[in-house]
Amino acid sequence: MMGRLFWKFFFFILLAQLMVTLTIGISFWIKNHQNDYPHPFPPAFGMHEDMVINAAASTLQYGGIDAFKSLLNADPHYANIYVIDEQDNDILGRHVDPAWTKYIHQHKQQSLPWEIKSVTLDHHPYFVFNTRPDFHRPPPDFMGGDAPPNMPPPEGPVFHLVPIVAAVIASLLFAAILAWYFSKPIQHLRTAFKAIASGNFNPKTTQIMGKRSDELADLSHDVDNMAQQISTLIDGQQRLLHDVSHELRSPLARMQVLIGLARQQPEKATALFERIEHESFRMDELIDELLTLSRLEAGVKHPLTEETDIGDLLTEIIDDARLEAEVKHCQIDWQGEMNIPVICNPEMMYRAIENVVRNAVKHTKDNTTVTIESILDQEKKQLHLNVTDCGSGVPNNALEAIFKPFYRVPNAANRTEGYGIGLAIAQQVIKTYGGQIKAVNRPEGGLCVSIVLPVVI
Amino acid sequence: MMNHVLLIDDDIDLIEMMKEYLEKDGFIVTTAHDGEKGIQEALSKRHAIIILDIMMPKLDGLFVLKRIRHSSNIPVLMLTAKGDDTDRIIGLELGADDYVTKPCTPRELSARIRAILRRAQSPVNIEDNATITAGHLSLCPGQRYAELKGKPLTLTSTEFNLLELLIKHAGHPVSKRILSEEGLGRPLARFDRNIDVHLSNLRQKLGNIANDRSYIQNVYRQGYQLLLE
């Protein structure tokens, strides 16, 4: 089915083509008539025939036969001028075609056509005429004289109709092709958008466009990319939702069992209520972290951005984490630059670095040291912050995945508390302030998380 | 043995609390925190029933179920997430006896365990000890033994219960409500596909009678019927 767009294109293109055809036609017509009007007779050797015949007639009338003879001899323009007397003989004795005389005698009763002049010399009538090759077919009589009887019928509008019809058909054809050329891909795009709207995120418009390469092909390419992007985003959200409900269900399941236990053993109720409370706090915490993450992922920049000393933050974080480390008899060792000014929101940055440091403390083995290294790159104005633990590391194929929400390394030796959102939050914060975060396994064992952040020096 | 429960779940806190509750309720409980250990325990044949969490990160619960069913017909009660119908159906197809959606109250779980155990260990009386036959099928409820054309059938306890109901009414349709209440020990819920899944498993195990028809036929709006040959 051809859409409205097709018809709009079609009619506009057709209109334009018809206008052009019409304009060109009119201009040609005007040009032809301009040529026609002042001198409708074709020039003979550079002179117009009506002038030649008039001049010859005047010479004969006022100069006499001798003057006419010398004119003919002197000027080749007059070579075709014949003068016949009453006996139909040329006064110069040239051969006279009987057809000419017949033509003249046919007309001399009436008014003579322009090409025959009658001259009376010494009371004898003479006829002056020009024996052009088409003497019998003079140009159309525009001076009001009669047309010669053997004149062919005038070229009617039938002959002009053929090129006009051809032009219109050609216009129609080209208008249709052009309109189709534009409206077809737009139809495809529309179908693609409909498909996307109904949940098919792989419309493959680029394939339909084929080898076309123009703005419309680019557009379809962009549509494909967009669909892909949306699909990835939705998949991510879906997975996140699934993980969130699962994570929320775990504390809920525990709470239900705790309540069941409290019913079964009322004497233990107080202790059980405390655990129920603990579970509800965990749920609250999880929701809080999720909201933070979703805000960060949505790209909402925290308004309170200021010059923050990462050194100060690190001092606080390490003090906090030390308690946890001491339980495992672990050390936290910090070396390097202490004064590191970075433009960021201090609270968010604190959370990001804290998550990385606590993660390291959590996963390092007992009686080992977590090493924090801060190096300032003066040239590139960057901070390199490396947090290294002495744990078992993560499988190489999971090095990127650990920054995804709820990702848990399969077969992790120790099931630790937490939801697996910490590193995802850290990554989002670092990204927000123009930095990068990545994890590498150290050859000697353990994981090294390195953060690169732009600093103000 | 009679009331020995094996709990397989990766949530250590939860499983410990469940254990506490169930022990107070009169069960003997063994726990396993991952699929690997769960399979080992399950195949030790010390337990009367297995409670299996389907959503386990390391070794998928469905895989564990498949491995258990490979060599044992012990009743299995699945713990599935609410709304995760695919896992539930696959679990039933793999031979689980019943399911409970998580989170669930321990009371509900305890009641469900009891229902399954009661059906699986229905007391032997003289009438039940008799062998019921229908065509090539013969069933001995007292011994929980079934055979087809002289060959023993390997049935889960739920499948056995359903077949027993059908064979007792052989030639007449048995409604899904009765099948659910008496075979599964739970009231029939709206849109409940459990019976259908169990019976489809049973059909596959029985094969076809002479004219390529299945032993068990779905009678529109009336339930299921065991055909008389």
Side-chain angles (χ1 to χ4, degrees), chain A residues 246 249-250 253-254 256-258 260-261 263-265 268 275 411 415, chain B residues 11 13-14 17 20-21 24 58 81-82 102-107:
Chain A
H246 184 247
R249 234 170 222 159
S250 302
R254 284 196 285 267
Q256 286 203 341
V257 178
L258 285 166
L261 278 171
R263 278 220 182 96
Q264 191 188 43
Q265 307 162 44
K268 279 191 183 173
R275 288 174 68 185
N411 298 316
R415 260 189 77 82
Chain B
D11 192 333
D13 284 352
L14 182 78
M17 292 187 279
E20 194 184 336
Y21 188 96
K24 275 273 173 192
K58 271 197 234 175
K82 207 174 266 173
K102 205 176 164 186
C104 65
T105 63
R107 208 187 331 174

PDB file of all heavy atoms in Angstrom, chain A residues 246 249-250 253-254 256-258 260-261 263-265 268 275 411 415, chain B residues 11 13-14 17 20-21 24 58 81-82 102-107:
ATOM      1  N   HIS A 246      14.938 -11.401  44.331  1.00  0.00           N
ATOM      2  CA  HIS A 246      15.549 -12.561  44.985  1.00  0.00           C
ATOM      3  C   HIS A 246      16.265 -12.143  46.265  1.00  0.00           C
ATOM      4  O   HIS A 246      16.128 -12.781  47.305  1.00  0.00           O
ATOM      5  CB  HIS A 246      16.525 -13.244  44.029  1.00  0.00           C
ATOM      6  CG  HIS A 246      17.121 -14.483  44.599  1.00  0.00           C
ATOM      7  ND1 HIS A 246      18.457 -14.585  44.913  1.00  0.00           N
ATOM      8  CD2 HIS A 246      16.554 -15.646  44.951  1.00  0.00           C
ATOM      9  CE1 HIS A 246      18.675 -15.789  45.422  1.00  0.00           C
ATOM     10  NE2 HIS A 246      17.542 -16.454  45.451  1.00  0.00           N
ATOM     11  N   ARG A 249      13.913 -11.336  48.937  1.00  0.00           N
ATOM     12  CA  ARG A 249      13.190 -12.491  49.420  1.00  0.00           C
ATOM     13  C   ARG A 249      13.984 -13.246  50.479  1.00  0.00           C
ATOM     14  O   ARG A 249      13.385 -13.844  51.371  1.00  0.00           O
ATOM     15  CB  ARG A 249      12.895 -13.414  48.256  1.00  0.00           C
ATOM     16  CG  ARG A 249      11.435 -13.700  48.211  1.00  0.00           C
ATOM     17  CD  ARG A 249      11.070 -14.399  46.979  1.00  0.00           C
ATOM     18  NE  ARG A 249       9.840 -13.854  46.458  1.00  0.00           N
ATOM     19  CZ  ARG A 249       9.459 -13.968  45.220  1.00  0.00           C
ATOM     20  NH1 ARG A 249      10.233 -14.564  44.361  1.00  0.00           N
ATOM     21  NH2 ARG A 249       8.321 -13.469  44.839  1.00  0.00           N
ATOM     22  N   SER A 250      15.300 -13.214  50.352  1.00  0.00           N
ATOM     23  CA  SER A 250      16.106 -13.960  51.325  1.00  0.00           C
ATOM     24  C   SER A 250      15.869 -13.457  52.745  1.00  0.00           C
ATOM     25  O   SER A 250      15.549 -14.258  53.625  1.00  0.00           O
ATOM     26  CB  SER A 250      17.579 -13.898  50.949  1.00  0.00           C
ATOM     27  OG  SER A 250      17.740 -14.425  49.659  1.00  0.00           O
ATOM     28  N   ALA A 253      12.350 -14.440  53.744  1.00  0.00           N
ATOM     29  CA  ALA A 253      12.199 -15.856  54.081  1.00  0.00           C
ATOM     30  C   ALA A 253      12.715 -16.109  55.490  1.00  0.00           C
ATOM     31  O   ALA A 253      12.082 -16.826  56.279  1.00  0.00           O
ATOM     32  CB  ALA A 253      12.967 -16.712  53.074  1.00  0.00           C
ATOM     33  N   ARG A 254      13.855 -15.478  55.813  1.00  0.00           N
ATOM     34  CA  ARG A 254      14.409 -15.660  57.159  1.00  0.00           C
ATOM     35  C   ARG A 254      13.455 -15.086  58.206  1.00  0.00           C
ATOM     36  O   ARG A 254      13.229 -15.684  59.251  1.00  0.00           O
ATOM     37  CB  ARG A 254      15.781 -14.989  57.242  1.00  0.00           C
ATOM     38  CG  ARG A 254      16.863 -15.798  56.547  1.00  0.00           C
ATOM     39  CD  ARG A 254      18.232 -15.329  56.966  1.00  0.00           C
ATOM     40  NE  ARG A 254      18.562 -14.060  56.333  1.00  0.00           N
ATOM     41  CZ  ARG A 254      19.236 -13.966  55.187  1.00  0.00           C
ATOM     42  NH1 ARG A 254      19.645 -15.054  54.558  1.00  0.00           N
ATOM     43  NH2 ARG A 254      19.498 -12.794  54.665  1.00  0.00           N
ATOM     44  N   GLN A 256      10.260 -14.817  58.043  1.00  0.00           N
ATOM     45  CA  GLN A 256       9.095 -15.683  58.223  1.00  0.00           C
ATOM     46  C   GLN A 256       9.414 -16.881  59.099  1.00  0.00           C
ATOM     47  O   GLN A 256       8.614 -17.268  59.963  1.00  0.00           O
ATOM     48  CB  GLN A 256       8.583 -16.139  56.858  1.00  0.00           C
ATOM     49  CG  GLN A 256       7.870 -15.027  56.132  1.00  0.00           C
ATOM     50  CD  GLN A 256       6.906 -15.564  55.099  1.00  0.00           C
ATOM     51  OE1 GLN A 256       7.016 -16.700  54.686  1.00  0.00           O
ATOM     52  NE2 GLN A 256       5.978 -14.726  54.678  1.00  0.00           N
ATOM     53  N   VAL A 257      10.603 -17.442  58.877  1.00  0.00           N
ATOM     54  CA  VAL A 257      10.986 -18.582  59.706  1.00  0.00           C
ATOM     55  C   VAL A 257      11.188 -18.131  61.156  1.00  0.00           C
ATOM     56  O   VAL A 257      10.780 -18.820  62.097  1.00  0.00           O
ATOM     57  CB  VAL A 257      12.264 -19.247  59.156  1.00  0.00           C
ATOM     58  CG1 VAL A 257      12.677 -20.402  60.043  1.00  0.00           C
ATOM     59  CG2 VAL A 257      12.031 -19.727  57.748  1.00  0.00           C
ATOM     60  N   LEU A 258      11.794 -16.940  61.317  1.00  0.00           N
ATOM     61  CA  LEU A 258      12.016 -16.415  62.670  1.00  0.00           C
ATOM     62  C   LEU A 258      10.688 -16.212  63.390  1.00  0.00           C
ATOM     63  O   LEU A 258      10.544 -16.538  64.573  1.00  0.00           O
ATOM     64  CB  LEU A 258      12.787 -15.095  62.599  1.00  0.00           C
ATOM     65  CG  LEU A 258      14.284 -15.239  62.289  1.00  0.00           C
ATOM     66  CD1 LEU A 258      14.884 -13.899  61.901  1.00  0.00           C
ATOM     67  CD2 LEU A 258      15.026 -15.820  63.494  1.00  0.00           C
ATOM     68  N   GLY A 260       7.949 -17.804  62.748  1.00  0.00           N
ATOM     69  CA  GLY A 260       7.460 -19.151  63.041  1.00  0.00           C
ATOM     70  C   GLY A 260       8.100 -19.719  64.298  1.00  0.00           C
ATOM     71  O   GLY A 260       7.410 -20.308  65.156  1.00  0.00           O
ATOM     72  N   LEU A 261       9.395 -19.490  64.392  1.00  0.00           N
ATOM     73  CA  LEU A 261      10.124 -19.966  65.581  1.00  0.00           C
ATOM     74  C   LEU A 261       9.619 -19.278  66.840  1.00  0.00           C
ATOM     75  O   LEU A 261       9.459 -19.904  67.895  1.00  0.00           O
ATOM     76  CB  LEU A 261      11.627 -19.718  65.418  1.00  0.00           C
ATOM     77  CG  LEU A 261      12.405 -20.753  64.590  1.00  0.00           C
ATOM     78  CD1 LEU A 261      13.819 -20.259  64.336  1.00  0.00           C
ATOM     79  CD2 LEU A 261      12.449 -22.097  65.313  1.00  0.00           C
ATOM     80  N   ARG A 263       6.726 -18.139  67.412  1.00  0.00           N
ATOM     81  CA  ARG A 263       5.430 -18.701  67.768  1.00  0.00           C
ATOM     82  C   ARG A 263       5.591 -20.047  68.445  1.00  0.00           C
ATOM     83  O   ARG A 263       4.896 -20.361  69.409  1.00  0.00           O
ATOM     84  CB  ARG A 263       4.604 -18.913  66.490  1.00  0.00           C
ATOM     85  CG  ARG A 263       3.922 -17.675  66.012  1.00  0.00           C
ATOM     86  CD  ARG A 263       2.516 -18.027  65.522  1.00  0.00           C
ATOM     87  NE  ARG A 263       1.885 -16.826  65.007  1.00  0.00           N
ATOM     88  CZ  ARG A 263       1.872 -16.498  63.728  1.00  0.00           C
ATOM     89  NH1 ARG A 263       2.419 -17.295  62.823  1.00  0.00           N
ATOM     90  NH2 ARG A 263       1.297 -15.387  63.344  1.00  0.00           N
ATOM     91  N   GLN A 264       6.517 -20.813  67.874  1.00  0.00           N
ATOM     92  CA  GLN A 264       6.710 -22.174  68.366  1.00  0.00           C
ATOM     93  C   GLN A 264       7.356 -22.157  69.754  1.00  0.00           C
ATOM     94  O   GLN A 264       7.011 -22.963  70.607  1.00  0.00           O
ATOM     95  CB  GLN A 264       7.606 -22.910  67.367  1.00  0.00           C
ATOM     96  CG  GLN A 264       7.704 -24.393  67.589  1.00  0.00           C
ATOM     97  CD  GLN A 264       8.761 -24.996  66.671  1.00  0.00           C
ATOM     98  OE1 GLN A 264       9.845 -24.437  66.513  1.00  0.00           O
ATOM     99  NE2 GLN A 264       8.439 -26.134  66.075  1.00  0.00           N
ATOM    100  N   GLN A 265       8.286 -21.238  69.945  1.00  0.00           N
ATOM    101  CA  GLN A 265       9.017 -21.189  71.213  1.00  0.00           C
ATOM    102  C   GLN A 265       8.930 -19.785  71.804  1.00  0.00           C
ATOM    103  O   GLN A 265       9.868 -18.994  71.658  1.00  0.00           O
ATOM    104  CB  GLN A 265      10.488 -21.561  70.980  1.00  0.00           C
ATOM    105  CG  GLN A 265      10.645 -22.883  70.248  1.00  0.00           C
ATOM    106  CD  GLN A 265      12.034 -23.024  69.638  1.00  0.00           C
ATOM    107  OE1 GLN A 265      13.033 -22.714  70.274  1.00  0.00           O
ATOM    108  NE2 GLN A 265      12.094 -23.487  68.400  1.00  0.00           N
ATOM    109  N   LYS A 268      11.766 -17.889  73.641  1.00  0.00           N
ATOM    110  CA  LYS A 268      12.936 -17.339  72.953  1.00  0.00           C
ATOM    111  C   LYS A 268      12.611 -16.044  72.205  1.00  0.00           C
ATOM    112  O   LYS A 268      13.451 -15.519  71.469  1.00  0.00           O
ATOM    113  CB  LYS A 268      13.456 -18.358  71.934  1.00  0.00           C
ATOM    114  CG  LYS A 268      14.316 -19.450  72.524  1.00  0.00           C
ATOM    115  CD  LYS A 268      14.968 -20.193  71.378  1.00  0.00           C
ATOM    116  CE  LYS A 268      15.811 -21.359  71.854  1.00  0.00           C
ATOM    117  NZ  LYS A 268      16.273 -22.141  70.691  1.00  0.00           N
ATOM    118  N   ARG A 275      16.662 -10.655  65.983  1.00  0.00           N
ATOM    119  CA  ARG A 275      17.136 -11.125  64.678  1.00  0.00           C
ATOM    120  C   ARG A 275      16.188 -10.663  63.564  1.00  0.00           C
ATOM    121  O   ARG A 275      16.634 -10.341  62.455  1.00  0.00           O
ATOM    122  CB  ARG A 275      17.268 -12.649  64.685  1.00  0.00           C
ATOM    123  CG  ARG A 275      18.462 -13.086  65.526  1.00  0.00           C
ATOM    124  CD  ARG A 275      18.519 -14.591  65.659  1.00  0.00           C
ATOM    125  NE  ARG A 275      18.838 -15.244  64.385  1.00  0.00           N
ATOM    126  CZ  ARG A 275      18.851 -16.565  64.233  1.00  0.00           C
ATOM    127  NH1 ARG A 275      18.552 -17.350  65.267  1.00  0.00           N
ATOM    128  NH2 ARG A 275      19.162 -17.089  63.083  1.00  0.00           N
ATOM    129  N   ASN A 411      31.456 -20.164  43.087  1.00  0.00           N
ATOM    130  CA  ASN A 411      32.352 -20.981  43.904  1.00  0.00           C
ATOM    131  C   ASN A 411      33.284 -20.156  44.789  1.00  0.00           C
ATOM    132  O   ASN A 411      34.416 -20.549  45.043  1.00  0.00           O
ATOM    133  CB  ASN A 411      33.199 -21.911  43.027  1.00  0.00           C
ATOM    134  CG  ASN A 411      32.321 -22.868  42.258  1.00  0.00           C
ATOM    135  OD1 ASN A 411      31.379 -23.436  42.805  1.00  0.00           O
ATOM    136  ND2 ASN A 411      32.599 -23.030  40.984  1.00  0.00           N
ATOM    137  N   ARG A 415      31.371 -17.303  51.726  1.00  0.00           N
ATOM    138  CA  ARG A 415      30.152 -16.539  51.483  1.00  0.00           C
ATOM    139  C   ARG A 415      30.133 -15.385  52.454  1.00  0.00           C
ATOM    140  O   ARG A 415      30.016 -15.569  53.650  1.00  0.00           O
ATOM    141  CB  ARG A 415      28.942 -17.425  51.730  1.00  0.00           C
ATOM    142  CG  ARG A 415      28.356 -17.971  50.477  1.00  0.00           C
ATOM    143  CD  ARG A 415      27.049 -18.643  50.802  1.00  0.00           C
ATOM    144  NE  ARG A 415      26.007 -17.648  50.993  1.00  0.00           N
ATOM    145  CZ  ARG A 415      25.346 -17.092  49.985  1.00  0.00           C
ATOM    146  NH1 ARG A 415      25.628 -17.430  48.768  1.00  0.00           N
ATOM    147  NH2 ARG A 415      24.414 -16.209  50.216  1.00  0.00           N
TER     148      ARG A 415
ATOM    149  N   ASP B  11      21.199 -20.880  51.705  1.00  0.00           N
ATOM    150  CA  ASP B  11      21.099 -19.826  52.719  1.00  0.00           C
ATOM    151  C   ASP B  11      21.309 -20.452  54.103  1.00  0.00           C
ATOM    152  O   ASP B  11      20.387 -21.041  54.681  1.00  0.00           O
ATOM    153  CB  ASP B  11      19.725 -19.159  52.624  1.00  0.00           C
ATOM    154  CG  ASP B  11      19.668 -17.880  53.443  1.00  0.00           C
ATOM    155  OD1 ASP B  11      20.425 -17.781  54.439  1.00  0.00           O
ATOM    156  OD2 ASP B  11      18.868 -16.997  53.095  1.00  0.00           O
ATOM    157  N   ASP B  13      21.848 -19.279  57.150  1.00  0.00           N
ATOM    158  CA  ASP B  13      21.026 -18.772  58.260  1.00  0.00           C
ATOM    159  C   ASP B  13      19.632 -19.376  58.220  1.00  0.00           C
ATOM    160  O   ASP B  13      19.120 -19.893  59.206  1.00  0.00           O
ATOM    161  CB  ASP B  13      20.888 -17.242  58.155  1.00  0.00           C
ATOM    162  CG  ASP B  13      22.157 -16.549  58.608  1.00  0.00           C
ATOM    163  OD1 ASP B  13      23.044 -17.254  59.140  1.00  0.00           O
ATOM    164  OD2 ASP B  13      22.253 -15.328  58.420  1.00  0.00           O
ATOM    165  N   LEU B  14      19.047 -19.302  57.029  1.00  0.00           N
ATOM    166  CA  LEU B  14      17.670 -19.762  56.867  1.00  0.00           C
ATOM    167  C   LEU B  14      17.546 -21.242  57.203  1.00  0.00           C
ATOM    168  O   LEU B  14      16.643 -21.671  57.928  1.00  0.00           O
ATOM    169  CB  LEU B  14      17.221 -19.513  55.423  1.00  0.00           C
ATOM    170  CG  LEU B  14      15.780 -19.910  55.122  1.00  0.00           C
ATOM    171  CD1 LEU B  14      14.827 -18.868  55.651  1.00  0.00           C
ATOM    172  CD2 LEU B  14      15.570 -20.093  53.630  1.00  0.00           C
ATOM    173  N   MET B  17      17.667 -22.044  60.860  1.00  0.00           N
ATOM    174  CA  MET B  17      16.416 -21.708  61.548  1.00  0.00           C
ATOM    175  C   MET B  17      15.327 -22.721  61.224  1.00  0.00           C
ATOM    176  O   MET B  17      14.573 -23.152  62.097  1.00  0.00           O
ATOM    177  CB  MET B  17      15.966 -20.301  61.153  1.00  0.00           C
ATOM    178  CG  MET B  17      16.896 -19.228  61.672  1.00  0.00           C
ATOM    179  SD  MET B  17      16.266 -17.580  61.374  1.00  0.00           S
ATOM    180  CE  MET B  17      16.704 -17.299  59.707  1.00  0.00           C
ATOM    181  N   GLU B  20      15.894 -25.778  63.148  1.00  0.00           N
ATOM    182  CA  GLU B  20      15.464 -25.619  64.537  1.00  0.00           C
ATOM    183  C   GLU B  20      13.957 -25.824  64.648  1.00  0.00           C
ATOM    184  O   GLU B  20      13.473 -26.553  65.517  1.00  0.00           O
ATOM    185  CB  GLU B  20      15.857 -24.225  65.031  1.00  0.00           C
ATOM    186  CG  GLU B  20      15.774 -24.077  66.544  1.00  0.00           C
ATOM    187  CD  GLU B  20      16.081 -22.655  66.985  1.00  0.00           C
ATOM    188  OE1 GLU B  20      16.765 -21.930  66.236  1.00  0.00           O
ATOM    189  OE2 GLU B  20      15.626 -22.274  68.081  1.00  0.00           O
ATOM    190  N   TYR B  21      13.237 -25.201  63.719  1.00  0.00           N
ATOM    191  CA  TYR B  21      11.777 -25.288  63.764  1.00  0.00           C
ATOM    192  C   TYR B  21      11.309 -26.720  63.552  1.00  0.00           C
ATOM    193  O   TYR B  21      10.493 -27.254  64.306  1.00  0.00           O
ATOM    194  CB  TYR B  21      11.162 -24.378  62.689  1.00  0.00           C
ATOM    195  CG  TYR B  21       9.660 -24.269  62.785  1.00  0.00           C
ATOM    196  CD1 TYR B  21       9.067 -23.210  63.467  1.00  0.00           C
ATOM    197  CD2 TYR B  21       8.828 -25.228  62.213  1.00  0.00           C
ATOM    198  CE1 TYR B  21       7.696 -23.108  63.578  1.00  0.00           C
ATOM    199  CE2 TYR B  21       7.455 -25.141  62.322  1.00  0.00           C
ATOM    200  CZ  TYR B  21       6.894 -24.073  63.000  1.00  0.00           C
ATOM    201  OH  TYR B  21       5.536 -23.976  63.101  1.00  0.00           O
ATOM    202  N   LYS B  24      11.958 -29.058  66.409  1.00  0.00           N
ATOM    203  CA  LYS B  24      10.971 -28.870  67.470  1.00  0.00           C
ATOM    204  C   LYS B  24       9.646 -29.526  67.101  1.00  0.00           C
ATOM    205  O   LYS B  24       8.875 -29.925  67.955  1.00  0.00           O
ATOM    206  CB  LYS B  24      10.736 -27.369  67.705  1.00  0.00           C
ATOM    207  CG  LYS B  24      11.738 -26.742  68.645  1.00  0.00           C
ATOM    208  CD  LYS B  24      11.303 -26.882  70.101  1.00  0.00           C
ATOM    209  CE  LYS B  24      12.419 -26.404  71.030  1.00  0.00           C
ATOM    210  NZ  LYS B  24      12.175 -26.761  72.420  1.00  0.00           N
ATOM    211  N   LYS B  58      25.524 -22.261  43.093  1.00  0.00           N
ATOM    212  CA  LYS B  58      26.618 -23.100  42.580  1.00  0.00           C
ATOM    213  C   LYS B  58      26.097 -24.200  41.676  1.00  0.00           C
ATOM    214  O   LYS B  58      26.369 -24.233  40.496  1.00  0.00           O
ATOM    215  CB  LYS B  58      27.367 -23.723  43.753  1.00  0.00           C
ATOM    216  CG  LYS B  58      28.496 -22.836  44.245  1.00  0.00           C
ATOM    217  CD  LYS B  58      29.449 -23.639  45.087  1.00  0.00           C
ATOM    218  CE  LYS B  58      29.636 -22.967  46.429  1.00  0.00           C
ATOM    219  NZ  LYS B  58      30.466 -23.768  47.313  1.00  0.00           N
ATOM    220  N   ALA B  81      10.828 -19.962  43.779  1.00  0.00           N
ATOM    221  CA  ALA B  81      10.452 -18.553  43.965  1.00  0.00           C
ATOM    222  C   ALA B  81       9.035 -18.366  43.465  1.00  0.00           C
ATOM    223  O   ALA B  81       8.603 -19.006  42.508  1.00  0.00           O
ATOM    224  CB  ALA B  81      11.399 -17.667  43.186  1.00  0.00           C
ATOM    225  N   LYS B  82       8.326 -17.483  44.126  1.00  0.00           N
ATOM    226  CA  LYS B  82       6.954 -17.198  43.698  1.00  0.00           C
ATOM    227  C   LYS B  82       7.004 -16.598  42.298  1.00  0.00           C
ATOM    228  O   LYS B  82       7.829 -15.769  41.995  1.00  0.00           O
ATOM    229  CB  LYS B  82       6.306 -16.212  44.670  1.00  0.00           C
ATOM    230  CG  LYS B  82       4.810 -16.330  44.730  1.00  0.00           C
ATOM    231  CD  LYS B  82       4.252 -15.421  45.809  1.00  0.00           C
ATOM    232  CE  LYS B  82       4.082 -16.171  47.112  1.00  0.00           C
ATOM    233  NZ  LYS B  82       3.703 -15.284  48.218  1.00  0.00           N
ATOM    234  N   LYS B 102       8.744 -19.881  48.002  1.00  0.00           N
ATOM    235  CA  LYS B 102       9.563 -19.214  48.994  1.00  0.00           C
ATOM    236  C   LYS B 102       9.334 -17.725  48.844  1.00  0.00           C
ATOM    237  O   LYS B 102       9.280 -17.267  47.696  1.00  0.00           O
ATOM    238  CB  LYS B 102      11.018 -19.569  48.669  1.00  0.00           C
ATOM    239  CG  LYS B 102      11.976 -19.519  49.807  1.00  0.00           C
ATOM    240  CD  LYS B 102      13.318 -20.000  49.254  1.00  0.00           C
ATOM    241  CE  LYS B 102      14.420 -19.626  50.199  1.00  0.00           C
ATOM    242  NZ  LYS B 102      15.715 -19.954  49.619  1.00  0.00           N
ATOM    243  N   PRO B 103       9.198 -16.895  49.805  1.00  0.00           N
ATOM    244  CA  PRO B 103       9.262 -17.248  51.224  1.00  0.00           C
ATOM    245  C   PRO B 103       7.977 -17.943  51.692  1.00  0.00           C
ATOM    246  O   PRO B 103       6.887 -17.597  51.255  1.00  0.00           O
ATOM    247  CB  PRO B 103       9.416 -15.894  51.917  1.00  0.00           C
ATOM    248  CG  PRO B 103       9.053 -14.866  50.926  1.00  0.00           C
ATOM    249  CD  PRO B 103       9.058 -15.473  49.588  1.00  0.00           C
ATOM    250  N   CYS B 104       8.146 -18.891  52.591  1.00  0.00           N
ATOM    251  CA  CYS B 104       6.987 -19.584  53.126  1.00  0.00           C
ATOM    252  C   CYS B 104       7.122 -19.643  54.644  1.00  0.00           C
ATOM    253  O   CYS B 104       8.218 -19.532  55.182  1.00  0.00           O
ATOM    254  CB  CYS B 104       6.912 -20.990  52.553  1.00  0.00           C
ATOM    255  SG  CYS B 104       8.287 -22.010  53.066  1.00  0.00           S
ATOM    256  N   THR B 105       6.016 -19.811  55.299  1.00  0.00           N
ATOM    257  CA  THR B 105       6.102 -19.923  56.758  1.00  0.00           C
ATOM    258  C   THR B 105       6.559 -21.342  57.092  1.00  0.00           C
ATOM    259  O   THR B 105       6.256 -22.277  56.341  1.00  0.00           O
ATOM    260  CB  THR B 105       4.737 -19.668  57.405  1.00  0.00           C
ATOM    261  OG1 THR B 105       3.841 -20.686  56.972  1.00  0.00           O
ATOM    262  CG2 THR B 105       4.179 -18.320  57.018  1.00  0.00           C
ATOM    263  N   PRO B 106       7.286 -21.498  58.178  1.00  0.00           N
ATOM    264  CA  PRO B 106       7.757 -22.844  58.521  1.00  0.00           C
ATOM    265  C   PRO B 106       6.589 -23.790  58.793  1.00  0.00           C
ATOM    266  O   PRO B 106       6.690 -24.989  58.556  1.00  0.00           O
ATOM    267  CB  PRO B 106       8.607 -22.621  59.769  1.00  0.00           C
ATOM    268  CG  PRO B 106       8.290 -21.267  60.258  1.00  0.00           C
ATOM    269  CD  PRO B 106       7.795 -20.489  59.099  1.00  0.00           C
ATOM    270  N   ARG B 107       5.474 -23.210  59.270  1.00  0.00           N
ATOM    271  CA  ARG B 107       4.321 -24.055  59.554  1.00  0.00           C
ATOM    272  C   ARG B 107       3.801 -24.723  58.274  1.00  0.00           C
ATOM    273  O   ARG B 107       3.493 -25.906  58.239  1.00  0.00           O
ATOM    274  CB  ARG B 107       3.208 -23.198  60.169  1.00  0.00           C
ATOM    275  CG  ARG B 107       2.324 -24.024  61.080  1.00  0.00           C
ATOM    276  CD  ARG B 107       1.138 -23.295  61.581  1.00  0.00           C
ATOM    277  NE  ARG B 107       1.342 -21.842  61.687  1.00  0.00           N
ATOM    278  CZ  ARG B 107       0.360 -21.014  61.998  1.00  0.00           C
ATOM    279  NH1 ARG B 107      -0.847 -21.472  62.229  1.00  0.00           N
ATOM    280  NH2 ARG B 107       0.568 -19.724  62.081  1.00  0.00           N
TER     281      ARG B 107
END
